Amino acid sequence: LKFNIKALRIAEKTFGQDHNDYATSLVNTAYVYKNLNDLNIAEQYYHQALKIFTKTLGKKHSNLGSIHRNLGSLYAEKNDYKPALKEFYKSIEIYKSIYGENHYSIADNYIDIAEIYRLKGLYDSALLFSQKSIDANIVHLNKANISFSTDQSLLLKAIRKKGDIFYKKYASGDHSVFLDSTFYAFQKCDSLIDYILQDQTSISDKFFIKQQASEIYQKAISAFGLRGFTNMDKNLLEKAFYFSEKSKYSILNNAKLHKSVKNQMKLSEEVSNKEYQLQVEISLLMSKIKNKIGDKEKLADHLFLKLRSRDSLAKSIEKRYPNHYKSKDKRKIATIAEIQKKILDENQILIEYFLADSSLYIFAITKTDYQVKKVETDSSYHINFIQLQRNLNSPKLIKQTAESFDEYI
């Protein structure tokens, strides 16, 4: 904070209080105050910056759209929803005047509005604005017959929001169809997670996934596991098991992402470089379309050609290096029925678990039946569990005999 205040004073002394650089420094300082939960001072700084930018940049500039959204977020934290909605709508109006109907900044505001309606218990309105966020996040290039998301992380957030709201509607006593809608939304999240993780150039999206995927799967497991356990609904328990297994697989797949495809699959350097270069060019073209940089029609034509080149190269690689695509996460998660039929004998039991923030879900599967048990946990449980994992991975332990291992356990 002290560095931001120092920078603010320097900007004031150097440029005066009516300059854009001073307003930018006000916004940066307000952001710090907001994170420190000093919301009143943050609000004052945002309004001060808003007056300066309005005077210097006019009423239809992206800087103003950003400040209105920040103010909306600030009021929402105060649980002051009416002015929060007002600020979000102002932000949307400004962004639409600049970018049109489809832009990630507009989609972001819609998500914030959906959250307010969710908190107010107005689930139909929350669903409406979640869908508006999804629609605003999709760019359609009719000439090239291409549609893509301008921000995959934001799209994931919007779909997850719909899943949360559907479950709220179900839990509040609405028809069971909303539980099916919850599962469908989380399935969409699951597919999008897989897609983002396979995108070699979206590094920031990969980091987002690593942070968010486990939380999304945990939400799904909690929804279906708890409801299934309460009602002894086998169908719901199977859905909980799927997301539990997918969570583990996602973690393993993330680790695999750090390995070089070229070293793993022994692609020729020329082919590997060409594959990577196409990915870079496609991402660059999508970024230009997303940020409205250049002629949209020409960019769409170039993107269409690059996508065709990538598909052609993929077919060539699959033919010349079949193992390359065998490794690309095409394996499906085994269902409980498949485990019972293909893996377990009459006298065997498979025990799987999923450790959530405050609960441990234990799945017990036999040849003819399966059950789920939920155990409440606390921070000490997590600490002990992590220590056990470290001990089991100890090189000294790995070298021990089976007898020593039994003694250790």
Side-chain angles (χ1 to χ4, degrees):
L1 176 62
K2 65 179 181 180
F3 294 108
N4 278 275
I5 292 175
K6 185 177 181 180
L8 181 62
R9 290 171 180 168
I10 293 172
E12 181 180 13
K13 185 176 180 179
T14 305
F15 304 109
Q17 292 189 351
D18 294 323
H19 196 276
N20 286 343
D21 286 350
Y22 178 66
T24 300
S25 189
L26 281 169
V27 171
N28 293 337
T29 307
Y31 180 77
V32 175
Y33 274 117
K34 181 173 176 289
N35 286 339
L36 293 172
N37 206 35
D38 202 336
L39 302 181
N40 291 330
I41 295 179
E43 181 182 357
Q44 293 173 17
Y45 278 44
Y46 279 135
H47 279 295
Q48 193 176 346
L50 193 62
K51 289 180 180 178
I52 298 170
F53 279 137
T54 302
K55 183 178 180 180
T56 59
L57 301 175
K59 294 182 179 181
K60 302 296 182 182
H61 192 278
S62 59
N63 284 12
L64 277 73
S66 176
I67 293 175
H68 281 300
R69 180 166 183 262
N70 287 333
L71 281 168
S73 177
L74 184 149
Y75 291 133
E77 286 192 30
K78 288 183 173 183
N79 297 325
D80 203 351
Y81 297 138
K82 187 173 181 179
L85 289 171
K86 184 178 179 180
E87 294 297 334
F88 289 140
Y89 284 125
K90 285 182 179 179
S91 179
I92 290 171
E93 182 182 355
I94 292 170
Y95 283 131
K96 280 186 176 181
S97 70
I98 301 169
Y99 303 117
E101 296 290 332
N102 301 90
H103 194 266
Y104 58 89
S105 298
I106 299 170
D108 232 351
N109 274 284
Y110 282 140
I111 279 290
D112 292 329
I113 293 172
E115 177 61 12
I116 287 179
Y117 284 127
R118 187 190 70 83
L119 292 171
K120 293 177 71 174
L122 301 173
Y123 298 133
D124 289 337
S125 295
L127 283 172
L128 173 65
F129 281 94
S130 295
Q131 187 59 48
K132 279 179 173 286
S133 177
I134 294 171
D135 295 340
N137 198 6
I138 303 297
V139 172
H140 302 282
L141 303 176
N142 294 328
K143 185 177 179 181
N145 195 28
I146 298 170
S147 298
F148 66 90
S149 166
T150 62
D151 189 316
Q152 294 172 346
S153 300
L154 184 58
L155 180 61
L156 180 62
K157 184 179 179 182
I159 298 173
R160 176 191 170 182
K161 181 72 67 180
K162 287 188 71 173
D164 291 343
I165 298 166
F166 279 130
Y167 185 72
K168 283 285 188 181
K169 282 179 71 66
Y170 169 74
S172 65
D174 274 0
H175 197 272
S176 60
V177 68
F178 291 112
L179 194 60
D180 294 332
S181 298
T182 303
F183 181 66
Y184 180 74
F186 282 125
Q187 271 191 322
K188 287 288 186 184
C189 288
D190 182 39
S191 298
L192 185 55
I193 288 169
D194 288 341
Y195 177 80
I196 296 173
L197 288 175
Q198 291 180 22
D199 183 353
Q200 295 182 16
T201 59
S202 299
I203 302 301
S204 62
D205 283 337
K206 286 180 183 178
F207 280 120
F208 175 85
I209 289 298
K210 290 178 182 179
Q211 295 170 356
Q212 297 295 323
S214 178
E215 185 178 339
I216 290 171
Y217 291 132
Q218 178 179 322
K219 195 89 173 180
I221 294 163
S222 297
F224 298 113
L226 178 60
R227 189 63 56 178
F229 180 71
T230 302
N231 300 333
M232 295 309 295
D233 187 323
K234 296 292 188 180
N235 182 44
L236 297 182
L237 294 179
E238 284 194 29
K239 291 175 180 178
F241 179 78
Y242 168 82
F243 284 111
S244 173
E245 293 301 288
K246 193 58 192 287
S247 173
K248 298 169 193 172
Y249 185 64
S250 178
I251 293 170
L252 294 172
N253 197 45
N254 282 340
K256 189 177 72 173
L257 286 170
H258 292 284
K259 296 183 179 180
S260 167
V261 171
K262 187 182 75 172
N263 289 338
Q264 269 191 15
M265 302 291 87
K266 298 181 180 178
L267 294 178
S268 71
E269 185 173 358
E270 179 184 359
V271 173
S272 182
N273 289 340
K274 187 175 182 180
E275 184 183 35
Y276 176 77
Q277 186 61 35
L278 277 171
Q279 284 289 93
V280 171
E281 291 172 356
I282 288 168
S283 293
L284 179 60
L285 287 167
M286 286 184 171
S287 178
K288 286 183 177 181
I289 294 170
K290 164 185 172 181
N291 294 292
K292 302 186 183 297
I293 301 172
D295 185 283
K296 182 177 178 179
E297 293 299 324
K298 289 182 178 179
L299 290 171
D301 289 340
H302 290 157
L303 178 59
F304 178 71
L305 293 174
K306 293 298 180 183
L307 288 171
R308 288 189 63 180
S309 296
R310 185 181 67 177
D311 291 341
S312 177
L313 179 63
K315 290 178 181 178
S316 174
I317 293 174
E318 187 169 12
K319 185 176 180 179
R320 293 171 59 189
Y321 306 94
N323 287 335
H324 177 70
Y325 283 95
K326 286 180 182 178
S327 72
K328 287 222 171 183
D329 197 17
K330 292 185 177 180
R331 291 168 289 183
K332 61 189 281 289
I333 301 299
T335 65
I336 291 177
E338 289 171 336
I339 292 172
Q340 290 175 325
K341 181 178 180 180
K342 299 178 181 180
I343 298 176
L344 295 176
D345 293 331
E346 294 294 337
N347 59 345
Q348 290 181 320
I349 182 171
L350 174 66
I351 297 177
E352 295 275 357
Y353 68 87
F354 179 84
L355 182 61
D357 289 338
S358 59
S359 305
L360 176 69
Y361 290 90
I362 304 171
F363 299 85
I365 305 172
T366 67
K367 185 72 173 177
T368 58
D369 195 15
Y370 55 93
Q371 295 181 3
V372 179
K373 183 176 179 60
K374 180 183 177 185
V375 179
E376 299 298 330
T377 62
D378 55 21
S379 58
S380 63
Y381 187 94
H382 284 258
I383 293 171
N384 292 334
F385 184 80
I386 292 171
Q387 187 60 51
L388 175 62
Q389 284 183 314
R390 289 175 179 171
N391 291 340
L392 291 175
N393 288 323
S394 168
K396 292 182 179 179
L397 178 64
I398 294 172
K399 293 179 181 179
Q400 300 298 316
T401 62
E403 291 79 9
S404 297
F405 180 77
D406 291 336
E407 183 179 347
Y408 178 85
I409 292 297

